[in-house]
Amino acid sequence: MHNKFNKLTWAVAVAAAAFASQASAGGYQINEQSVSGQGYGHAGRSSNVNDATIVFGNPAGMSFLDRAQLTAGGTYLNVNSRIRNAEASRTIVNAGLTVETEGSSEGDMVPGTLIPFAFYAHPVNEQLAFGFGVYAPFGSKTDYEDGFVGRNLGNYTELRVMSAQPTVSYRFNDQWAVGAGITYNRVDGELHRQVPTPLAPNDPASDLDSRVEGDDDAWGYNLGVIFQPVPETTLGLTYRSKVDYTLTGSYRATDPDGSVAINPSTLEPLEDNARLNLVTPETINFSVTQQMSDRLKLMAGASWVRWSRFDEIHVTNDAGDTITRENQDYSNAWAYGVGGEYQLNPQLALRAGVTLDFTPTSDEFRSARIPSDDRRIFSIGAGWTPMDNLTVDLAYSYLTERSTQVDQTRTDHADTGAETELAYTADYKNEAHGFGAQLTYRF
């Protein structure tokens, strides 16, 4: 590794690595691309054709729609987090001195967020259909309060990914249909953390405010197939590709008075360009929908995400010099769902579902930026069709995560006489409420 105080310094090394790990947190992968699907816990995502949101769920399903339709809506997520037993410290390794970091741990660091989407599907004939969608596949935000006790490990993180997807499907016969879509994806994000200065590593009042911003765009694709062995049974399989990004942006570290900090080794300003390779992983979803009677249908599904791609984060500067390598130790993760829909009358459908979503993160590398664990999600919903060409869907989901612990350490200024080891431990309990609404208009 080159000098820690070269152009991208000890501060950006942490921030850039955290940016990538934030995107790879399974606990923050966005599933809210359909409110009708939310009502039954997305259990039939690849096999249940309700409306134009099937453009995302399984592009092959567009050819099962009987006419063109537009679906638009969103889900508002209200996340509540409780933090207990929070402690932080900084140890001046060369001096053998440990100082406790003072601060607060209020929790509720995830602001309420509306996640919108819109889809259009247009059957050309009984075999061919086209579609288009705009949605968010990944995204998260954590914004701790001023004075957060773990601020040296990360106090603000925001990541946004938006995708646009043109799609085509073809139905060979009553049993088989295939579909494919190309995705144009845009990612941008911002991170903050308070970094001890090597000139006064045991003085929190002199910490630098380190900020990184970056963005990129890239292409991906998805594939889908639907098989109906009998009219009452539908099986669906969808594959969504990985997407490779090279985020480029800026880095700046400022003193408490707001001026740009100076590198004490080179006497150059601590601001420059930053570069980070990021991969959002491929996913596979399989589901089955079974029509039990004229009014009742049941669904079950499973999703697999290849999070094991995140074995390390490698950050470089514009010259290609290594800034940091961090092990992530992510594991491939599964999610399972079961749900059902009951057609109470021709105008009203009632839905319910349960989802189990397992995190890819490990206890060793879980951080203050992504303090999530295994999730259970309970959902209910309804679809109201007051007229033949119009449907309003509503849904509510309650998400509860297993209680988890963050036990995080980080070393700054390793090549100086002020080598500092930062530590943060806390117990987290997260829950969320999701309120969804969407409108479908058929032409």
Side-chain angles (χ1 to χ4, degrees), residues 208-219:
L208 306 181
D209 181 23
S210 172
R211 302 191 178 204
V212 173
E213 297 179 1
D215 57 63
D216 190 25
D217 49 51
W219 295 88

Side-chain angles (χ1 to χ4, degrees), residues 66-141:
D66 58 357
R67 51 181 161 158
Q69 48 196 275
L70 174 68
T71 301
T75 298
Y76 179 81
L77 295 180
N78 180 27
V79 182
N80 302 314
S81 300
R82 297 190 300 274
I83 303 176
R84 298 289 185 271
N85 306 316
E87 297 179 352
S89 65
R90 54 178 79 192
T91 300
I92 316 306
V93 177
N94 309 73
L97 174 66
T98 297
V99 178
E100 297 298 321
T101 303
E102 298 296 330
S104 58
S105 55
E106 296 177 1
D108 289 343
M109 64 285 182
V110 181
T113 303
L114 176 65
I115 303 172
F117 57 82
F119 299 94
Y120 176 74
H122 184 90
V124 177
N125 52 43
E126 292 183 356
Q127 286 78 40
L128 184 65
F130 294 96
F132 185 80
V134 179
Y135 54 89
F138 296 93
S140 62
K141 183 175 181 179

Side-chain angles (χ1 to χ4, degrees), residues 147-310:
F148 168 54
V149 68
R151 59 191 177 275
N152 295 140
L153 282 303
N155 55 359
Y156 181 91
T157 304
E158 184 170 10
L159 177 78
R160 298 175 299 273
V161 180
M162 291 298 297
S163 299
Q165 177 187 318
T167 310
V168 63
S169 69
Y170 187 81
R171 185 172 182 176
F172 295 99
N173 50 44
D174 290 342
Q175 293 183 314
W176 290 97
V178 296
I182 297 174
T183 61
Y184 169 77
N185 309 277
R186 178 75 181 176
V187 59
D188 64 274
E190 180 178 352
L191 299 112
H192 306 174
R193 99 175 169 101
Q194 303 300 304
V195 182
T197 171
L199 300 178
N202 62 345
D203 180 16
S206 67
D207 287 355
L208 306 181
D209 181 23
S210 172
R211 302 191 178 204
V212 173
E213 297 179 1
D215 57 63
D216 190 25
D217 49 51
W219 295 88
Y221 65 92
N222 55 32
L223 305 171
V225 60
I226 283 183
F227 174 53
Q228 277 191 336
V230 294
E232 296 80 16
T233 304
T234 304
L235 296 90
L237 180 66
T238 306
Y239 171 84
R240 304 186 66 81
S241 75
K242 67 174 184 174
V243 179
D244 293 282
Y245 301 96
T246 300
L247 283 81
T248 56
S250 63
Y251 154 69
R252 171 177 289 194
T254 57
D255 288 318
D257 63 6
S259 61
V260 177
I262 301 299
N263 186 323
S265 177
T266 66
L267 301 182
E268 295 180 352
L270 287 176
E271 58 180 353
D272 209 325
N273 297 327
R275 181 179 297 269
L276 172 66
N277 293 328
L278 168 67
V279 179
T280 54
E282 58 266 55
T283 65
I284 298 174
N285 179 270
F286 171 79
S287 69
V288 56
T289 299
Q290 180 66 43
Q291 193 75 42
M292 305 300 293
S293 67
D294 291 341
R295 294 192 174 189
L296 176 65
K297 58 181 173 182
L298 301 179
M299 291 148 277
S303 295
W304 178 83
V305 185
R306 192 180 179 184
W307 290 117
S308 60
R309 289 188 174 278
F310 292 88

